[in-house]
Amino acid sequence: MTKSTIAILVYILGVIFGALVLDVWSAETGPKAFIGIAWTAILLVALLYADKYEKK
C-alpha cells in the first residue's frame, strides 16, 4: 500500500466517524463544520507530502 492510499483510507474513515458520531453535517451549522474543512485540509497536505516523497 502506498502512503497516499493509506492517507485516503484514513480520511474516509474520519469522514464516516465525523458524520455518524460527531454529526458534523447536521442541519445546524456551527463550529463543528470547521472540523470537516480542517480534516480535508489535512488530507491535502498528507497527499502532497506522500506524492513528494514517493517520487524520490
Side-chain angles (χ1 to χ4, degrees), residues 2-56:
T2 63
K3 290 181 182 181
S4 60
T5 305
I6 294 171
I8 291 171
L9 289 175
V10 170
Y11 175 75
I12 291 171
L13 290 174
V15 168
I16 292 170
F17 176 79
L20 298 177
V21 177
L22 300 178
D23 199 27
V24 173
W25 286 276
S26 65
E28 298 176 12
T29 58
K32 285 198 287 185
F34 290 112
I35 294 172
I37 295 170
W39 191 244
T40 303
I42 291 170
L43 169 74
L44 294 175
V45 170
L47 288 177
L48 175 76
Y49 282 112
D51 186 49
K52 180 179 178 180
Y53 289 114
E54 283 180 1
K55 288 183 180 179
K56 284 187 177 182

